Amino acid sequence: MTDTRNADLAFGADDFLVFIAPVGTPKPTDFSPLTSPWLCLGWMAKTGGEWSADEERKDLEAAGAVGPIASKITKASRAMKFTAEEALNPLVLALYENVDLADLAPVAGVISYDLPDRPSKHRYAALFCAEETDSKKWWRYMSNAEVTGRGSSNSPTDDYTVNELTITGFPGLNGEKAVSNLIDLAGADVSAFWSNEVQTVTITGTPTGGTYTLTYSSQTTGAIAYNATATVVKTALEALSNIEAGDITATGGPHPGSPVVVTFGGSLGGTNVDQMTGSAASLTGGTTPAVVVTTGTPGGVPSLP
């Protein structure tokens, strides 16, 4: 059994923020600071957000079958429940009271509005940002969201008024999923859950002298001796700017009698990397020497199907 425990994969957010925008606003592609049309609902309670899933499926059964022969998901909404601490934030009020933001514009510093007597039909794009300080981030995005739950809005005399809200995401208007996730691992290593790529470098033709080179992702090593050991091959590859120290291990060798097996790990672990190529132009002796690179184990194959 492979022990994949990794404390870096624990996630404890220091901050939790909620943003809304017009329905269908595209999801962020990275973790750059959010700009218009995204608007922040202000401070959230320390309890953060409570995530829940509401799924239903329909099974197709047939005579002679012990279990269903097919299944279809008929409902796949996701909801986030949170407590907004800025009770007078116009965005929070608009969501909690089910009114348009335009209705909350103050006149001479006073806001006056009526509560509706019909269900909400307001839809938004929503973004829930949970972040560790200067570290891991987990953003959840809904392109087609609606306020589906309004909890208590307390009026304490010795604390602040807070509003409890639940926002549910539904499949988008243009085929988007109900929720999309964006996670910044901040360097946490998850390669144990996918295979590391293994490539084998073989010299054929029994050369008696000279050198060869290896090229990885458009970068070429310096000259490698025809009879190099695995350590020499490793050093040559790690001298490339796109392979860091510790990104590979090398076993086997020495050339030309035995192949050298290169395993990609570190920042390249669990990744389907480019296959190296070799150049035998400077090998001498033997019979038409060549450098052959083969991939024995592709990288990035998941541990579970």
Side-chain angles (χ1 to χ4, degrees):
M1 181 185 72
T2 301
D3 188 346
T4 57
R5 288 177 292 182
N6 184 348
D8 288 340
L9 298 182
F11 183 73
D14 300 297
D15 204 358
F16 178 75
L17 293 172
V18 180
F19 295 81
I20 61 170
V23 63
T25 298
K27 69 178 179 180
T29 57
D30 56 31
F31 294 94
S32 300
L34 294 170
T35 57
S36 179
W38 290 105
L39 297 172
C40 180
L41 271 64
W43 288 103
M44 296 291 118
K46 291 180 67 176
T47 51
E50 181 180 332
W51 182 252
S52 63
D54 186 6
E55 294 182 338
E56 293 180 2
R57 74 177 191 178
K58 181 179 180 180
D59 293 336
L60 177 63
E61 300 183 359
V66 175
I69 61 173
S71 297
K72 180 180 180 180
I73 296 177
T74 58
K75 183 179 181 181
S77 62
R78 306 289 191 272
M80 180 72 81
K81 180 180 179 181
F82 57 92
T83 301
E85 293 200 321
E86 295 182 16
L88 298 182
N89 184 314
L91 292 173
V92 174
L93 279 174
L95 293 174
Y96 189 81
E97 306 281 38
N98 184 25
V99 297
D100 292 322
L101 185 61
D103 294 341
L104 299 174
V107 177
V110 176
I111 298 174
S112 177
Y113 63 94
D114 297 321
L115 296 182
D117 55 4
R118 62 189 62 188
S120 169
K121 291 186 177 180
H122 299 295
R123 290 291 176 102
Y124 309 90
L127 191 63
F128 307 93
C129 305
E131 302 185 357
E132 292 183 354
T133 302
D134 299 324
S135 185
K136 297 184 284 289
K137 301 177 177 64
W138 191 344
W139 288 11
R140 291 181 170 102
Y141 160 84
M142 301 173 179
S143 68
N144 183 27
E146 179 183 352
V147 176
T148 55
R150 294 173 172 85
S152 63
S153 177
N154 64 340
S155 297
T157 58
D158 60 351
D159 204 348
Y160 293 105
T161 296
V162 296
N163 292 329
E164 296 179 349
L165 287 161
T166 299
I167 292 181
T168 300
F170 302 92
L173 303 178
N174 298 312
E176 301 99 334
K177 301 299 183 182
V179 175
S180 294
N181 287 276
L182 197 63
I183 297 176
D184 182 355
L185 291 171
D189 184 7
V190 296
S191 61
F193 302 94
W194 290 270
S195 62
N196 290 334
E197 182 139 334
V198 179
Q199 299 183 18
T200 300
V201 181
T202 303
I203 295 182
T204 63
T206 61
T208 58
T211 61
Y212 72 95
T213 59
L214 292 171
T215 297
Y216 170 74
S217 191
S218 302
Q219 294 201 29
T220 302
T221 66
I224 303 172
Y226 81 101
N227 59 351
T229 63
T231 300
V232 170
V233 174
K234 179 178 185 293
T235 300
L237 287 170
E238 288 183 338
L240 302 177
S241 63
N242 54 0
I243 297 181
E244 299 177 4
D247 277 353
I248 61 170
T249 58
T251 58
H255 289 323
S258 300
V260 171
V261 179
V262 177
T263 301
F264 292 81
S267 65
L268 300 176
T271 304
N272 186 12
V273 301
D274 293 340
Q275 181 171 289
M276 297 182 292
T277 58
S279 172
S282 298
L283 290 176
T284 60
T287 304
T288 316
V291 179
V292 179
V293 180
T294 57
T295 298
T297 302
V301 178
S303 301
L304 295 175

